[in-house]
């Protein structure tokens, strides 16, 4: 019974954490697009990053604040997270982002209508990606879908590399206390400031698909999934981050962490030898 209650609490926590991510993130993009608020790419990236930090502080004590299927799958592969919890976590994360998109839309609904009327935008047309992009990500027109995929792989690999580093107790250079949440948020902001103009730095299947699904239902239809090209885009922010997360976990565990462990073992051995030779 206790385990079942804890599991339900973890799913609620993942829902709330994922909700906060989109509530702040999509909210700031809505302000930019619909209200003409002056925000540059760095400011937008910082808001997204701080949104993640806030979600971690609110929910980490319950679920660990994955709020990202790429994180959930990666910790299942490398950190022993129970596989039976993977799908429920992902569903809770996607439900949270879907709900947050609906709340953001509800708050800005009149501004959506005004913007579409002023720009003569028909919801569901390619032109309506201007507003669909408030909820989820689409690639820069100057890059191919293949390039977008590998960009998502690379930036998510960096994100998971940092997450593993700052949460590793063996890493003597890692943060102490609860400062890791801020460092993860800063990392997301730096990635967004560096690569956000290319793919919108999704790095999170739930962050992208949940809001895309909402946009599909709310009138944007097929274009919300396909994007501006002839090849559907929705799969890129799903598969790219998952592969990137696994790559980032591999890089940390096999190219960094194993040498941290080796160094600790050597230091422990030397300490033992010193004790044996001491008078």
């Amino acid at each position: 019974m206790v385990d079942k209650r804890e599991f339900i609490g973890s799913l609620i926590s993942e829902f709330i954490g994922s909700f906060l991510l989109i509530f702040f993130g999509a909210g700031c993009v809505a302000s930019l697009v619909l209200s003409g608020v002056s925000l540059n790419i760095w400011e937008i990236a910082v808001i997204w990053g701080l949104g993640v930090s806030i979600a971690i502080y609110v929910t980490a004590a319950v679920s660990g604040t994955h709020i990202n299927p790429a994180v959930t799958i990666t910790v299942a592969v490398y950190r022993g997270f129970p596989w039976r919890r993977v799908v429920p976590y992902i569903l809770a994360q996607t439900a949270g982002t879907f709900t947050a998109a609906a709340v953001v839309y509800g708050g800005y609904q009149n501004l959506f209508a005004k913007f579409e009327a002023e720009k003569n935008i028909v919801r569901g047309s390619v032109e309506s990606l201007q507003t669909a992009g408030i909820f989820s990500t689409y690639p820069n027109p100057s890059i191919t879908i293949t390039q977008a995929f590998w960009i998502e792989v690379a930036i998510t690999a960096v994100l998971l590399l940092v997450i593993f580093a700052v949460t590793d107790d063996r890493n003597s250079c890692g943060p102490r206390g609860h400062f890791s949440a801020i460092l993860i948020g800063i990392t997301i902001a730096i990635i967004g400031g560096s690569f956000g103009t290319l793919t919108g730095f999704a790095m999170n299947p739930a962050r992208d698909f949940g809001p895309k699904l909402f946009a599909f239902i709310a009138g944007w239809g097929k274009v919300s999934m396909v994007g501006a090209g002839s090849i559907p885009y929705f799969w890129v922010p799903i598969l790219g981050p998952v592969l990137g997360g696994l790559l980032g976990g591999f890089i940390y565990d096999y190219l960094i962490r194993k040498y941290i462990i080796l160094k600790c073992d050597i230091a422990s051995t030397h300490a033992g030898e010193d004790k044996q030779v001491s008078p």
Side-chain angles (χ1 to χ4, degrees):
M1 178 62 72
V2 174
D3 182 70
K4 182 178 180 180
R5 289 171 59 190
E6 182 273 331
F7 179 52
I8 292 172
S10 294
L11 296 183
I12 293 172
S13 176
E14 285 297 301
F15 176 92
I16 292 173
S18 302
F19 177 94
L20 290 173
L21 168 64
I22 298 301
F23 182 76
F24 292 123
C28 83
V29 179
S31 294
L32 171 69
V33 174
L34 304 177
S35 301
V37 173
S38 180
L39 291 171
N40 60 39
I41 183 64
W42 172 244
E43 291 167 335
I44 293 172
V46 167
I47 292 173
W48 278 98
L50 290 179
V52 171
S53 297
I54 291 170
I56 292 172
Y57 284 124
V58 171
T59 65
V62 179
S63 69
T65 315
H66 297 184
I67 64 172
N68 183 343
V71 172
T72 301
I73 292 171
T74 301
V75 297
V77 171
Y78 296 106
R79 292 293 180 269
F81 182 75
W83 280 102
R84 68 181 182 277
R85 294 194 172 203
V86 169
V87 172
Y89 260 52
I90 291 173
L91 292 176
Q93 293 156 5
T94 305
T97 59
F98 177 94
T99 303
V103 170
V104 170
Y105 178 75
Y108 280 92
Q109 188 171 8
N110 292 344
L111 279 73
F112 271 100
K114 180 181 178 183
F115 182 87
E116 290 168 339
E118 290 177 349
K119 303 290 184 180
N120 294 316
I121 293 174
V122 177
R123 193 174 296 184
S125 66
V126 172
E127 290 74 23
S128 68
L129 286 173
Q130 295 178 59
T131 47
I134 290 172
F135 303 112
S136 59
T137 66
Y138 299 95
N140 188 301
S142 298
I143 67 173
T144 66
I145 284 185
T146 301
Q147 289 172 321
F149 174 79
W150 288 112
I151 289 167
E152 285 294 321
V153 170
I155 62 179
T156 311
V158 171
L159 175 61
L160 266 295
L161 175 67
V162 172
I163 290 174
F164 272 27
V166 302
T167 58
D168 185 359
D169 291 337
R170 288 179 176 266
N171 183 1
S172 61
C173 292
R176 294 298 174 259
H178 303 292
F179 191 61
S180 59
I182 294 295
L183 290 181
I184 292 170
I186 290 173
T187 300
I188 290 170
I190 292 172
I191 291 172
S194 302
F195 295 94
T197 57
L198 295 179
T199 63
F201 66 113
M203 301 186 292
N204 182 337
R207 170 264 176 275
D208 199 79
F209 186 74
K212 266 189 172 64
L213 183 60
F214 170 77
F216 180 85
I217 295 171
W220 281 267
K222 180 180 177 181
V223 73
S224 65
M225 295 291 180
V226 175
S230 57
I231 301 175
Y233 184 73
F234 74 92
W235 63 272
V236 171
I238 295 176
L239 297 184
V242 171
L243 178 59
L246 294 173
L247 176 61
F250 178 87
I251 291 172
Y252 184 75
D253 272 14
Y254 293 97
L255 300 182
I256 298 175
R257 189 170 189 254
K258 82 172 187 176
Y259 296 107
I260 293 176
I261 295 172
L262 176 63
K263 190 173 181 179
C264 290
D265 290 343
I266 292 173
S268 178
T269 300
H270 286 171
E273 291 173 351
D274 290 342
K275 286 183 179 180
Q276 290 177 3
V277 300
S278 62

PDB file of all heavy atoms in Angstrom, residues 19 23 31 44 62 67 90 103 114 134 163 168 181 238 252 263 273:
ATOM      1  N   PHE A  19       4.104  20.244 -15.924  1.00  0.00           N
ATOM      2  CA  PHE A  19       3.175  21.361 -16.093  1.00  0.00           C
ATOM      3  C   PHE A  19       3.899  22.689 -15.904  1.00  0.00           C
ATOM      4  O   PHE A  19       3.752  23.618 -16.711  1.00  0.00           O
ATOM      5  CB  PHE A  19       2.031  21.240 -15.087  1.00  0.00           C
ATOM      6  CG  PHE A  19       1.053  22.387 -15.126  1.00  0.00           C
ATOM      7  CD1 PHE A  19      -0.095  22.310 -15.895  1.00  0.00           C
ATOM      8  CD2 PHE A  19       1.279  23.552 -14.397  1.00  0.00           C
ATOM      9  CE1 PHE A  19      -0.996  23.369 -15.941  1.00  0.00           C
ATOM     10  CE2 PHE A  19       0.390  24.611 -14.430  1.00  0.00           C
ATOM     11  CZ  PHE A  19      -0.746  24.527 -15.210  1.00  0.00           C
ATOM     12  N   PHE A  23       4.176  25.770 -18.462  1.00  0.00           N
ATOM     13  CA  PHE A  23       3.472  26.944 -17.965  1.00  0.00           C
ATOM     14  C   PHE A  23       4.360  28.174 -18.071  1.00  0.00           C
ATOM     15  O   PHE A  23       3.936  29.228 -18.563  1.00  0.00           O
ATOM     16  CB  PHE A  23       3.048  26.707 -16.514  1.00  0.00           C
ATOM     17  CG  PHE A  23       2.272  27.841 -15.901  1.00  0.00           C
ATOM     18  CD1 PHE A  23       0.933  28.038 -16.224  1.00  0.00           C
ATOM     19  CD2 PHE A  23       2.877  28.709 -15.012  1.00  0.00           C
ATOM     20  CE1 PHE A  23       0.206  29.080 -15.656  1.00  0.00           C
ATOM     21  CE2 PHE A  23       2.168  29.750 -14.434  1.00  0.00           C
ATOM     22  CZ  PHE A  23       0.828  29.932 -14.759  1.00  0.00           C
ATOM     23  N   SER A  31       3.922  35.497 -24.703  1.00  0.00           N
ATOM     24  CA  SER A  31       4.115  36.937 -24.481  1.00  0.00           C
ATOM     25  C   SER A  31       4.892  37.560 -25.631  1.00  0.00           C
ATOM     26  O   SER A  31       4.561  38.648 -26.113  1.00  0.00           O
ATOM     27  CB  SER A  31       4.872  37.172 -23.164  1.00  0.00           C
ATOM     28  OG  SER A  31       4.112  36.766 -22.058  1.00  0.00           O
ATOM     29  N   ILE A  44      14.656  34.346 -23.298  1.00  0.00           N
ATOM     30  CA  ILE A  44      13.707  33.235 -23.406  1.00  0.00           C
ATOM     31  C   ILE A  44      14.334  31.953 -22.864  1.00  0.00           C
ATOM     32  O   ILE A  44      13.710  31.200 -22.096  1.00  0.00           O
ATOM     33  CB  ILE A  44      13.274  33.035 -24.871  1.00  0.00           C
ATOM     34  CG1 ILE A  44      12.443  34.236 -25.337  1.00  0.00           C
ATOM     35  CG2 ILE A  44      12.482  31.738 -25.030  1.00  0.00           C
ATOM     36  CD1 ILE A  44      12.143  34.226 -26.813  1.00  0.00           C
ATOM     37  N   VAL A  62       9.942  14.192  -4.274  1.00  0.00           N
ATOM     38  CA  VAL A  62       8.956  13.122  -4.451  1.00  0.00           C
ATOM     39  C   VAL A  62       9.349  12.183  -5.584  1.00  0.00           C
ATOM     40  O   VAL A  62       9.422  10.960  -5.407  1.00  0.00           O
ATOM     41  CB  VAL A  62       7.551  13.708  -4.721  1.00  0.00           C
ATOM     42  CG1 VAL A  62       6.541  12.583  -4.939  1.00  0.00           C
ATOM     43  CG2 VAL A  62       7.113  14.602  -3.569  1.00  0.00           C
ATOM     44  N   ILE A  67      10.723  14.894 -15.447  1.00  0.00           N
ATOM     45  CA  ILE A  67       9.923  15.746 -16.353  1.00  0.00           C
ATOM     46  C   ILE A  67      10.371  15.671 -17.808  1.00  0.00           C
ATOM     47  O   ILE A  67      10.192  16.619 -18.567  1.00  0.00           O
ATOM     48  CB  ILE A  67       9.847  17.207 -15.865  1.00  0.00           C
ATOM     49  CG1 ILE A  67      11.202  17.914 -15.838  1.00  0.00           C
ATOM     50  CG2 ILE A  67       9.187  17.277 -14.491  1.00  0.00           C
ATOM     51  CD1 ILE A  67      11.116  19.427 -15.538  1.00  0.00           C
ATOM     52  N   ILE A  90       6.358   8.622 -18.264  1.00  0.00           N
ATOM     53  CA  ILE A  90       6.270   9.331 -19.543  1.00  0.00           C
ATOM     54  C   ILE A  90       4.843   9.817 -19.788  1.00  0.00           C
ATOM     55  O   ILE A  90       4.629  10.944 -20.265  1.00  0.00           O
ATOM     56  CB  ILE A  90       6.752   8.421 -20.691  1.00  0.00           C
ATOM     57  CG1 ILE A  90       8.260   8.191 -20.573  1.00  0.00           C
ATOM     58  CG2 ILE A  90       6.414   9.040 -22.056  1.00  0.00           C
ATOM     59  CD1 ILE A  90       8.811   7.174 -21.562  1.00  0.00           C
ATOM     60  N   VAL A 103      -3.727  25.434 -20.528  1.00  0.00           N
ATOM     61  CA  VAL A 103      -3.864  26.569 -19.611  1.00  0.00           C
ATOM     62  C   VAL A 103      -3.289  27.837 -20.225  1.00  0.00           C
ATOM     63  O   VAL A 103      -3.882  28.920 -20.129  1.00  0.00           O
ATOM     64  CB  VAL A 103      -3.180  26.250 -18.264  1.00  0.00           C
ATOM     65  CG1 VAL A 103      -3.103  27.502 -17.387  1.00  0.00           C
ATOM     66  CG2 VAL A 103      -3.934  25.142 -17.533  1.00  0.00           C
ATOM     67  N   LYS A 114      -6.962  37.675 -31.766  1.00  0.00           N
ATOM     68  CA  LYS A 114      -6.606  38.999 -32.274  1.00  0.00           C
ATOM     69  C   LYS A 114      -5.417  38.923 -33.226  1.00  0.00           C
ATOM     70  O   LYS A 114      -5.414  39.538 -34.303  1.00  0.00           O
ATOM     71  CB  LYS A 114      -6.287  39.936 -31.114  1.00  0.00           C
ATOM     72  CG  LYS A 114      -5.911  41.347 -31.535  1.00  0.00           C
ATOM     73  CD  LYS A 114      -5.588  42.210 -30.317  1.00  0.00           C
ATOM     74  CE  LYS A 114      -5.160  43.614 -30.750  1.00  0.00           C
ATOM     75  NZ  LYS A 114      -4.774  44.450 -29.578  1.00  0.00           N
ATOM     76  N   ILE A 134       4.269  28.509 -30.402  1.00  0.00           N
ATOM     77  CA  ILE A 134       4.211  28.932 -28.996  1.00  0.00           C
ATOM     78  C   ILE A 134       4.231  27.706 -28.094  1.00  0.00           C
ATOM     79  O   ILE A 134       4.819  27.723 -27.009  1.00  0.00           O
ATOM     80  CB  ILE A 134       2.941  29.774 -28.741  1.00  0.00           C
ATOM     81  CG1 ILE A 134       3.061  31.125 -29.444  1.00  0.00           C
ATOM     82  CG2 ILE A 134       2.670  29.944 -27.245  1.00  0.00           C
ATOM     83  CD1 ILE A 134       1.792  31.942 -29.416  1.00  0.00           C
ATOM     84  N   ILE A 163      23.543  16.675 -16.209  1.00  0.00           N
ATOM     85  CA  ILE A 163      22.683  16.149 -15.145  1.00  0.00           C
ATOM     86  C   ILE A 163      23.389  15.024 -14.391  1.00  0.00           C
ATOM     87  O   ILE A 163      23.390  14.992 -13.149  1.00  0.00           O
ATOM     88  CB  ILE A 163      21.344  15.646 -15.724  1.00  0.00           C
ATOM     89  CG1 ILE A 163      20.490  16.841 -16.192  1.00  0.00           C
ATOM     90  CG2 ILE A 163      20.574  14.827 -14.683  1.00  0.00           C
ATOM     91  CD1 ILE A 163      19.216  16.435 -16.910  1.00  0.00           C
ATOM     92  N   ASP A 168      26.105  13.371  -9.317  1.00  0.00           N
ATOM     93  CA  ASP A 168      26.979  12.246  -8.974  1.00  0.00           C
ATOM     94  C   ASP A 168      27.710  12.543  -7.662  1.00  0.00           C
ATOM     95  O   ASP A 168      28.538  13.455  -7.594  1.00  0.00           O
ATOM     96  CB  ASP A 168      27.988  12.023 -10.103  1.00  0.00           C
ATOM     97  CG  ASP A 168      28.848  10.792  -9.877  1.00  0.00           C
ATOM     98  OD1 ASP A 168      28.684  10.120  -8.834  1.00  0.00           O
ATOM     99  OD2 ASP A 168      29.699  10.492 -10.747  1.00  0.00           O
ATOM    100  N   ALA A 181      20.084  22.021  -9.033  1.00  0.00           N
ATOM    101  CA  ALA A 181      18.899  22.462  -9.781  1.00  0.00           C
ATOM    102  C   ALA A 181      19.189  23.744 -10.561  1.00  0.00           C
ATOM    103  O   ALA A 181      18.748  23.901 -11.705  1.00  0.00           O
ATOM    104  CB  ALA A 181      17.731  22.689  -8.824  1.00  0.00           C
ATOM    105  N   ILE A 238      11.203  13.686 -30.490  1.00  0.00           N
ATOM    106  CA  ILE A 238      10.961  12.501 -29.669  1.00  0.00           C
ATOM    107  C   ILE A 238      12.187  11.585 -29.704  1.00  0.00           C
ATOM    108  O   ILE A 238      12.804  11.299 -28.676  1.00  0.00           O
ATOM    109  CB  ILE A 238       9.719  11.733 -30.150  1.00  0.00           C
ATOM    110  CG1 ILE A 238       8.460  12.583 -29.952  1.00  0.00           C
ATOM    111  CG2 ILE A 238       9.588  10.395 -29.396  1.00  0.00           C
ATOM    112  CD1 ILE A 238       7.193  11.940 -30.485  1.00  0.00           C
ATOM    113  N   TYR A 252      29.218  10.138 -19.985  1.00  0.00           N
ATOM    114  CA  TYR A 252      29.582  10.417 -18.593  1.00  0.00           C
ATOM    115  C   TYR A 252      30.065   9.157 -17.881  1.00  0.00           C
ATOM    116  O   TYR A 252      31.110   9.172 -17.223  1.00  0.00           O
ATOM    117  CB  TYR A 252      28.409  11.012 -17.819  1.00  0.00           C
ATOM    118  CG  TYR A 252      28.840  11.382 -16.417  1.00  0.00           C
ATOM    119  CD1 TYR A 252      29.617  12.514 -16.181  1.00  0.00           C
ATOM    120  CD2 TYR A 252      28.526  10.567 -15.326  1.00  0.00           C
ATOM    121  CE1 TYR A 252      30.069  12.834 -14.908  1.00  0.00           C
ATOM    122  CE2 TYR A 252      28.971  10.867 -14.058  1.00  0.00           C
ATOM    123  CZ  TYR A 252      29.741  12.005 -13.852  1.00  0.00           C
ATOM    124  OH  TYR A 252      30.197  12.311 -12.596  1.00  0.00           O
ATOM    125  N   LYS A 263      40.046   6.946  -9.697  1.00  0.00           N
ATOM    126  CA  LYS A 263      40.830   7.878  -8.877  1.00  0.00           C
ATOM    127  C   LYS A 263      40.493   7.712  -7.402  1.00  0.00           C
ATOM    128  O   LYS A 263      41.379   7.746  -6.542  1.00  0.00           O
ATOM    129  CB  LYS A 263      40.554   9.308  -9.332  1.00  0.00           C
ATOM    130  CG  LYS A 263      41.477  10.348  -8.716  1.00  0.00           C
ATOM    131  CD  LYS A 263      41.249  11.714  -9.351  1.00  0.00           C
ATOM    132  CE  LYS A 263      42.193  12.740  -8.750  1.00  0.00           C
ATOM    133  NZ  LYS A 263      41.987  14.081  -9.378  1.00  0.00           N
ATOM    134  N   GLU A 273      47.527   2.097   2.574  1.00  0.00           N
ATOM    135  CA  GLU A 273      48.945   1.819   2.658  1.00  0.00           C
ATOM    136  C   GLU A 273      49.615   2.732   3.676  1.00  0.00           C
ATOM    137  O   GLU A 273      50.493   2.326   4.435  1.00  0.00           O
ATOM    138  CB  GLU A 273      49.592   1.992   1.284  1.00  0.00           C
ATOM    139  CG  GLU A 273      49.174   0.914   0.280  1.00  0.00           C
ATOM    140  CD  GLU A 273      49.691   1.197  -1.121  1.00  0.00           C
ATOM    141  OE1 GLU A 273      50.215   2.319  -1.320  1.00  0.00           O
ATOM    142  OE2 GLU A 273      49.558   0.309  -1.984  1.00  0.00           O
TER     143      GLU A 273
END
